[in-house]
Amino acid sequence: YYTIGEVSEILNENASLVRFWAGKFPDFIKPARNKKGNRLFTARDLANFKVIYYLVKERGMTLEGAAKRMKDNISGVDRRVEVISKLTGIKEKLQKVLAMLAVEEQK
């Protein structure tokens, strides 16, 4: 399980936004609660948060539009988000290699 703080850190967003999205997408995000009442999110919830982030923040969709897209075609959007995430990771690794090569060249 992921806490709301961990989800907000992964998405690089405020916990209040994560809490807001959890309330706006009850069909896709169903947090469990611990004895203290804190929200605990599953890996599937986290994947859905990533889809919401992609649709709202990167594609500029409204919350209603994102919810409709997720209901209509969650598997297609899910795959696209996964591919973008992997490509972003590859890009970051390549940038690190490039920076290391630049340091080696200066020696």
Side-chain angles (χ1 to χ4, degrees), residues 39-51:
R39 292 171 183 84
L40 298 173
F41 300 100
T42 63
R44 184 73 195 140
D45 290 332
L46 181 60
N48 285 332
F49 273 121
K50 288 179 180 181
V51 171

Side-chain angles (χ1 to χ4, degrees), residues 45-92:
D45 290 332
L46 181 60
N48 285 332
F49 273 121
K50 288 179 180 181
V51 171
I52 294 165
Y53 180 89
Y54 169 73
L55 293 173
V56 174
K57 294 289 188 168
E58 294 181 17
R59 295 284 307 271
M61 296 179 79
T62 64
L63 295 177
E64 293 79 18
K68 184 176 181 342
R69 173 68 63 88
M70 289 176 73
K71 283 180 184 174
D72 293 345
N73 187 14
I74 186 65
S75 62
V77 174
D78 230 358
R79 277 186 257 129
R80 183 178 295 157
V81 170
E82 184 179 328
V83 168
I84 289 171
S85 177
K86 287 181 181 181
L87 288 174
T88 302
I90 292 169
K91 179 183 175 184
E92 290 170 0

